[in-house]
């Protein structure tokens, strides 16, 4: 995989420090859609300000603080918001630093407040602040098919992905696993069937549209993070790791083709067969395996 991380939208972030208890509130410009953005922003702020994570809170993003952000997609907020949080926290750290000598964080914040130091910072990320970089990844898959039913099982999948200096390896591993399984659904499960006469979508509900379930994930699923490998990266030297692994799921198509070639050889079917389509479901696999009716007899 060579996945270019491109930035196409400004992201505004606001951070406020409260003198009463020293709490830090981050209002990010991007939405945490499950990719761990809020957790990573909290970690960045805690690291730059050298304070406990418990003092940091994330406020729901809104289009008043970040008025012109287009969307949170392609894991752009990972870098854009993360970079903005870093810039904001560095400014706050420098403003409070003169009051932090021999003082706790809370005492330093209170002293800065009494000295009318501004404790609110905003920063707008723009696409020129982080150069475009490439996410690299590789995957290998082993699949087993049942030539009598078309059923299949992913016996093992190995993924290696370059995340540079990961801010949170556990989140990155979870995102890589999730992205891969979403791609797995695209290639092997989620087939759209239309009525040829009316155009009506027939696979329009969970009864006949089958997204991957718990038993469809690889039996042996191994994720390796390649860290400290790239000179060019994003926020805090890390790289995005959310939806990118979806593209690596194509590896199951290659494994499936090899399995079908083997099955067709055993059944005496021709070596050539139609290209695999999206999605190649169990019914399609049964047909493509070249299984003869006679093979159903004991």
């Amino acid at each position: 995989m060579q996945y270019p991380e491109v930035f196409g939208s400004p992201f505004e972030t606001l951070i406020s420090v409260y003198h009463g208890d020293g709490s830090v509130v981050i209002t990010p410009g991007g939405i945490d859609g499950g990719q761990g953005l809020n957790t990573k922003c909290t970690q960045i702020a805690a690291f730059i300000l050298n304070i406990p994570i418990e003092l940091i809170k994330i406020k729901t993003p809104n289009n008043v603080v970040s008025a012109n952000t287009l969307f949170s997609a392609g894991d752009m907020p990972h870098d854009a918001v993360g970079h903005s949080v870093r810039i904001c926290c560095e400014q706050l750290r420098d403003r409070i630093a003169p009051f932090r000598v021999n003082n706790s964080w809370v005492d330093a914040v209170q002293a800065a407040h009494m000295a009318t130091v501004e404790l609110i910072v905003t920063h707008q990320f723009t696409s020129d602040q982080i150069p475009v970089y490439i996410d690299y990844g590789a995957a290998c898959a082993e699949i087993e098919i049942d030539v009598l039913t078309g059923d299949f099982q992913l016996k093992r999948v190995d993924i290696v992905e370059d995340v540079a200096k990961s801010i949170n390896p556990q989140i990155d591993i979870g995102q890589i696993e999730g992205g891969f399984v979403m791609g797995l659904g695209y290639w092997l499960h989620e087939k759209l069937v239309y009525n040829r006469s009316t155009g009506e979508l027939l696979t329009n509900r969970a009864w006949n549209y089958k997204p991957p379930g718990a038993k469809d994930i690889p039996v042996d699923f191994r994720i390796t993070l390649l860290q400290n490998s790239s000179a060019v990266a994003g926020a805090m030297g890390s790289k995005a790791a959310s939806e990118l692994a979806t593209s690596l799921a194509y590896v199951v198509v290659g494994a499936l083709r090899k399995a079908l070639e083997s099955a067709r050889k055993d059944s005496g079917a021709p070596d050539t067969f139609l290209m695999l389509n999206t999605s190649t479901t169990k019914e399609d696999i049964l047909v493509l395996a070249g299984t003869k009716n006679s093979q159903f007899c004991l």
Side-chain angles (χ1 to χ4, degrees):
M1 175 185 73
Q2 288 184 307
Y3 193 110
E5 189 65 21
V6 180
F7 308 101
S9 173
F11 287 83
E12 190 86 26
T13 295
L14 181 147
I15 299 182
S16 305
V17 180
Y18 293 84
H19 78 280
D21 59 357
S23 60
V24 177
V25 176
I26 302 172
T27 306
I31 295 171
D32 190 329
Q35 77 275 37
L37 175 64
N38 290 349
T39 300
K40 289 184 177 182
C41 287
T42 300
Q43 289 181 260
I44 293 172
F47 176 77
I48 299 295
L49 297 175
N50 191 23
I51 61 175
I53 285 178
E54 291 73 20
L55 285 175
I56 302 171
K57 301 177 177 64
I58 302 291
K59 186 172 177 59
T60 303
N62 64 78
N63 56 9
V64 174
V65 172
S66 190
N68 299 302
T69 298
L70 296 180
F71 45 75
S72 296
D75 211 17
M76 283 192 294
H78 165 90
D79 288 321
V81 178
H83 181 76
S84 295
V85 169
R86 177 178 184 173
I87 297 299
C88 289
C89 287
E90 287 174 345
Q91 293 183 33
L92 288 167
R93 179 196 60 193
D94 294 343
R95 292 178 187 178
I96 298 172
F99 306 92
R100 206 170 182 183
V101 179
N102 298 323
N103 279 328
S104 67
W105 167 258
V106 176
D107 291 339
V109 168
Q110 291 176 346
H113 169 69
M114 295 302 295
T116 65
V117 173
E118 186 177 9
L119 298 177
I120 300 174
V121 177
T122 63
H123 178 78
Q124 178 178 271
F125 172 86
T126 53
S127 58
D128 59 334
Q129 294 178 21
I130 294 179
V132 175
Y133 62 81
I134 302 294
D135 282 284
Y136 298 96
C140 183
E142 178 185 353
I143 195 169
E144 182 178 83
I145 64 173
D146 186 331
V147 298
L148 298 182
T149 65
D151 202 358
F152 61 88
Q153 187 176 65
L154 274 173
K155 306 293 287 186
R156 177 172 169 176
V157 169
D158 290 76
I159 295 176
V160 178
E161 188 165 317
D162 172 21
V163 296
K165 297 179 180 179
S166 175
I167 296 174
N168 191 311
Q170 288 185 327
I171 286 178
D172 289 344
I173 288 173
Q175 290 299 296
I176 292 169
E177 290 175 337
F180 182 87
V181 172
M182 287 184 68
L184 172 65
Y186 175 78
W187 289 110
L188 298 181
H189 290 273
E190 303 171 43
K191 190 166 188 174
L192 300 177
V193 179
Y194 296 89
N195 184 313
R196 290 181 177 272
S197 300
T198 65
E200 178 189 2
L201 178 64
L202 301 178
T203 52
N204 59 352
R205 53 199 177 101
W207 186 254
N208 46 36
Y209 180 84
K210 304 297 181 183
K215 292 186 177 182
D216 297 311
I217 65 175
V219 176
D220 189 352
F221 203 4
R222 307 189 187 194
I223 310 296
T224 300
L225 302 181
L226 193 63
Q227 302 191 63
N228 302 323
S229 58
S230 301
V232 178
M236 303 293 290
S238 66
K239 283 189 173 184
S242 288
E243 70 177 48
L244 307 104
T246 305
S247 60
L248 287 173
Y250 185 75
V251 71
V252 301
V253 179
L256 179 58
R257 174 170 287 280
K258 293 292 185 183
L260 288 171
E261 288 174 352
S262 177
R264 293 175 71 86
K265 181 178 180 181
D266 291 343
S267 67
D271 293 338
T272 58
F273 55 95
L274 294 175
M275 292 292 292
L276 304 180
N277 297 314
T278 55
S279 291
T280 304
T281 62
K282 296 176 183 181
E283 294 84 355
D284 297 318
I285 292 173
L286 177 59
V287 173
L288 292 171
T291 306
K292 300 182 178 66
N293 291 339
S294 60
Q295 291 180 270
F296 287 87
C297 300
L298 294 178

